[in-house]
Amino acid sequence: MIPVAIPDLSGNEERYVTDAVRSTWVSSSGAFLERFEAEFAARCETQHCLSAANGTVALHLALLALNVQAGDEVLMPALTYIATANAVRYMGAVPVFVDVDPNTWCIDPTKLAAAITNRTTGIIPVHIYGHPADMDAINAVAKQHGLWVVEDAAEAHFAKYKGRTVGSMSDIATFSFFGNKVLTSGEGGAVTFNDSSLLDHARSLRGQGVDISQGRYAHPIIGYNYRLTNVAAALLCAQLERADEMISRRNAIFSAYEERLSGIPGIGFQPVAHWAQRTPWLFCLTVDKAQFGATRDDLAIYLHKNEVETRPLFIGLHQQIPYRKLAAKQGTPLPVSERLSATGLNLPTFTALSEQQIDKICDLIRAKAQC
Ligand SMILES: *Cc1c(COP(=O)(O)O)cnc(C)c1O
């Protein structure tokens, strides 16, 4: 079976993890954590970085730092991973689902104004499948209405928007280092800051609300344990050394897929806006049943029978059981998110994927189109 994702740990990962173990610094402080936070902030062109246990708690920390209140309404794309909405619910706040733009698959800035009420306090654009959201347009709406913006960059490490790096275009951004993400520490996450005033508060929240200046075991606020370990940071330091190499290999895989699948009736690709330099996360295609002659699910089953694993695109948040009622009450039509969710498929994307494997996958898809 060719899997959808395999982490690439072929550089200094093993060496650095061994170094961390031998040093006995395996818990939530150590040299790898410090090095990672400094290097990641620099690479993202942000002021600061706090590592976190995973991308979901990174989002929660960002919302805690911004002091989001119960009942606040937060705009987000309907097409994203469930964590974006869940983090908002952890605050008792209300996710408001906005359709995505067919040209970017990210939140449609032209649909924001209609979703804003006097309870709206913020927007979480998601750089979906590695493609940056249209941040200038989003930030303009946010500024006009006095809203905060948190970029959910879990899938888009180092993607560029008009030459700027994702994470650098809002007060706070969040990242994931889950096993299938572009950079991984197994489980892991980060929050980046451009507003230094939020940093100390977020650091305290990450560590049980401790304030060391008030003495040991002084916890003036209720916090969380959302820390990353030095062992995980050792993996991330090694991943950062090869980030450019891994991203360029993934770009080559995207090009190979697009070249070999182009011209198959009914197969479409993730669009790339002229201002975007996406980070190649999972390769996405869309299947138009009328032209292709089979549905996305038919194709997925056929590939699985032939030992190729795939993933459907995310299920719209408004279609998920915990959010259906809320979405029905909001009543916003979300046709683009629904179409992509119903027709989109991820193909295997990992640096060790060989040319022969890409050929096999593309030949299978072409054969399926012809029968
Ligand atoms: C992966 C992901 C997250 C959550 O990250 P975890 O590390 O799995 O908690 C959040 N948002 C998006 C868009 C993601 O893809």
Side-chain angles (χ1 to χ4, degrees):
M1 187 66 82
I2 305 174
V4 167
I6 303 176
D8 179 342
L9 307 172
S10 61
N12 280 323
E13 283 78 1
E14 192 175 339
R15 210 185 106 208
Y16 290 174
V17 166
T18 306
D19 288 350
V21 170
R22 290 195 180 148
S23 75
T24 76
W25 289 87
V26 295
S27 198
S28 47
S29 45
F32 287 116
L33 280 165
E34 279 171 34
R35 174 176 155 190
F36 168 71
E37 290 182 345
E39 284 184 6
F40 195 71
R43 281 280 330 231
C44 295
E45 301 177 293
T46 63
Q47 301 286 319
H48 307 280
C49 166
L50 289 180
S51 55
N54 58 62
T56 307
V57 304
L59 273 167
H60 191 199
L61 262 185
L63 302 178
L64 287 162
L66 288 164
N67 201 22
V68 171
Q69 298 294 306
D72 285 3
E73 293 179 358
V74 178
L75 311 190
M76 66 179 63
L79 185 74
T80 177
Y81 182 59
I82 193 88
T84 316
N86 285 352
V88 167
R89 285 304 298 148
Y90 300 161
M91 304 299 297
V94 182
V96 174
F97 309 119
V98 177
D99 207 6
V100 297
D101 178 341
N103 299 311
T104 64
W105 297 7
C106 297
I107 198 164
D108 187 339
T110 67
K111 306 249 162 76
L112 291 171
I116 293 173
T117 73
N118 55 9
R119 282 193 297 274
T120 310
T121 62
I123 309 174
I124 308 182
V126 180
H127 305 306
I128 201 80
Y129 295 107
H131 189 293
D134 187 355
M135 291 306 297
D136 282 348
I138 293 163
N139 282 334
V141 175
K143 197 167 170 202
Q144 195 189 338
H145 295 268
L147 309 177
W148 51 258
V149 177
V150 171
E151 294 169 67
D152 182 346
E155 306 171 0
H157 319 77
F158 317 139
K160 301 257 192 213
Y161 172 79
K162 299 182 183 174
R164 286 170 280 160
T165 306
V166 302
S168 69
M169 293 170 284
S170 56
D171 292 341
I172 305 192
T174 65
F175 295 83
S176 167
F177 306 115
F178 181 64
N180 69 9
K181 298 278 157 78
V182 175
L183 303 179
T184 187
S185 52
E187 297 277 3
V191 190
T192 57
F193 296 84
N194 293 309
D195 181 345
S196 302
S197 72
L198 300 168
L199 178 73
D200 289 339
H201 186 44
R203 184 185 280 113
S204 165
L205 287 162
R206 182 183 66 172
Q208 300 285 21
V210 77
D211 182 355
I212 202 80
S213 72
Q214 298 186 32
R216 283 275 163 192
Y217 298 116
H219 302 265
I221 58 169
I222 295 178
Y224 301 79
N225 180 354
Y226 282 172
R227 295 177 299 248
L228 191 72
T229 67
N230 196 49
V231 180
L235 286 172
L236 289 173
C237 287
Q239 292 271 289
L240 277 180
E241 290 173 349
R242 284 181 312 115
D244 292 334
E245 192 189 305
M246 293 194 292
I247 288 169
S248 90
R249 174 64 196 136
R250 295 175 87 100
N251 269 319
I253 291 167
F254 271 47
S255 302
Y257 272 137
E258 288 185 347
E259 192 190 305
R260 278 162 230 198
L261 296 171
S262 74
I264 301 181
I267 294 293
F269 304 124
Q270 179 190 25
V272 182
H274 65 88
W275 39 255
Q277 189 183 317
R278 83 180 150 190
T279 285
W281 184 41
L282 294 178
F283 185 79
C284 305
L285 52 75
T286 56
V287 181
D288 178 302
K289 184 185 170 224
Q291 289 180 51
F292 185 70
T295 64
R296 181 272 310 271
D297 292 339
D298 294 336
L299 177 59
I301 292 164
Y302 174 77
L303 289 171
H304 193 266
K305 277 191 189 135
N306 287 282
E307 302 187 316
V308 176
E309 196 187 26
T310 63
R311 288 276 183 284
L313 257 63
F314 297 126
I315 298 171
L317 292 174
H318 62 296
Q319 296 166 316
Q320 300 276 11
I321 288 169
Y323 297 112
R324 276 183 201 163
K325 255 198 189 152
L326 178 65
K329 202 173 88 189
Q330 290 168 5
T332 313
L334 302 161
V336 182
S337 302
E338 278 169 20
R339 175 176 61 80
L340 292 172
S341 174
T343 63
L345 192 69
N346 295 134
L347 299 181
T349 316
F350 50 90
T351 58
L353 191 67
S354 69
E355 294 294 311
Q356 290 84 335
Q357 287 173 316
I358 296 173
D359 282 341
K360 174 188 164 170
I361 295 163
C362 296
D363 290 348
L364 283 167
I365 295 172
R366 200 171 279 279
K368 182 71 181 164
Q370 281 153 3
C371 68

